Amino acid sequence: MSHDTLTTLYPWQEGQPMDKAGLREKLAGSIQSKAGESADIKRQFFADHEEALLNTSEALARVFAGGGRLFTMGNGGSSCDAAHIAVEFSHPVTTGRPALPAMNLVADTAMLTAVGNDIGIEHIYLRQVTAQARAGDALIGISTSGNSGNLMAAFEKARAMGVITIGLAGGNGGDMVQSGFLDHCLTVPSESIHRVQETHVAIYHILWDLVHSLLADQRGGKA
């Protein structure tokens, strides 16, 4: 993050400690700056990546329509997003939308700790994809940098197995973009982890809605 950006978000850091009223005023200003930046990044992302999001939703709808399943994975905060995506699809909160098979690969702590301890964290998702996925399934991996080694190992294996590979990344997309292992990669061009994560949430909520709309259309509009 640049010095100018930091000054905008945390202007009091440039001077001496201020009184309580002055500090509250500056903090209030930082709230508006951060909220505005978040809104601007999301607005620009969806303006620039509409086609990519439609393509990704169509690919995922084809997976479900063909009887395939969705697997999700991520690390740290992105592991929470992986869990969120899986529950959105398997337990839809909108009335009339059917449950779809989605499994969170972060959920099995015994598997994660066993594989991580025995052969290394790079294998925690690879082993699960190898055991559970099959051609025609889909795998979503979330990484704010796009460089998570354990995600890339799973993506490489999944691609070789005929699994549709989908990434949510930030910055320049990192290894997710460069590797050639992903069929679809939705990259938020920001260096702020928080802004990337906030946009990822909007992406997968919209993706969820598009997939259900496509499936409903295939069923002739029936839920």
Side-chain angles (χ1 to χ4, degrees):
M1 187 175 294
S2 70
H3 178 271
D4 289 344
T5 301
L6 286 171
T7 300
T8 300
L9 296 178
Y10 309 101
W12 60 87
Q13 291 185 352
E14 294 298 305
Q16 298 299 316
M18 59 186 67
D19 58 37
K20 184 176 180 179
L23 177 59
R24 286 181 61 84
E25 180 181 355
K26 295 297 185 182
L27 288 170
S30 76
I31 291 171
Q32 298 307 315
S33 294
K34 293 172 185 177
E37 182 187 32
S38 183
D40 288 344
I41 288 172
K42 286 194 282 286
R43 189 179 298 111
Q44 191 63 53
F45 173 85
F46 290 111
D48 294 342
H49 298 84
E50 180 181 281
E51 187 75 12
L53 192 58
L54 286 169
N55 291 340
T56 304
S57 65
E58 288 169 345
L60 193 49
R62 286 193 295 270
V63 166
F64 288 125
R69 303 160 297 167
L70 171 64
F71 297 93
T72 64
M73 59 181 181
N75 300 299
S78 294
S79 73
C80 301
D81 286 319
H84 193 165
I85 293 171
V87 76
E88 289 284 359
F89 280 100
S90 60
H91 177 59
V93 295
T94 301
T95 301
R97 289 192 161 177
L100 297 170
M103 282 138 280
N104 171 25
L105 298 181
V106 187
D108 190 341
T109 54
M111 172 64 79
L112 296 180
T113 53
V115 175
N117 181 67
D118 294 344
I119 57 176
I121 194 171
E122 296 85 358
H123 300 268
I124 61 174
Y125 300 127
L126 169 61
R127 279 294 175 95
Q128 294 185 78
V129 166
T130 302
Q132 298 188 52
R134 60 175 181 258
D137 289 338
L139 175 66
I140 291 180
I142 309 100
S143 169
T144 56
S145 67
N147 294 320
S148 298
N150 51 11
L151 270 60
M152 296 312 302
F155 277 136
E156 182 178 11
K157 179 64 175 180
R159 186 70 178 278
M161 294 170 64
V163 173
I164 300 300
T165 50
I166 300 168
L168 273 61
N172 64 4
D175 292 340
M176 283 190 181
V177 170
Q178 297 298 323
S179 67
F181 299 152
L182 276 74
D183 296 301
H184 305 274
C185 189
L186 301 168
T187 303
V188 181
S190 172
E191 298 305 318
S192 167
I193 293 174
H194 295 153
R195 304 297 87 84
V196 171
Q197 290 174 327
E198 290 156 7
T199 307
H200 281 173
V201 174
I203 289 170
Y204 59 73
H205 280 157
I206 291 173
L207 183 65
W208 174 89
D209 189 70
L210 292 172
V211 168
H212 275 287
S213 296
L214 288 164
L215 292 174
D217 182 67
Q218 293 171 17
R219 294 189 298 269
K222 297 179 182 179

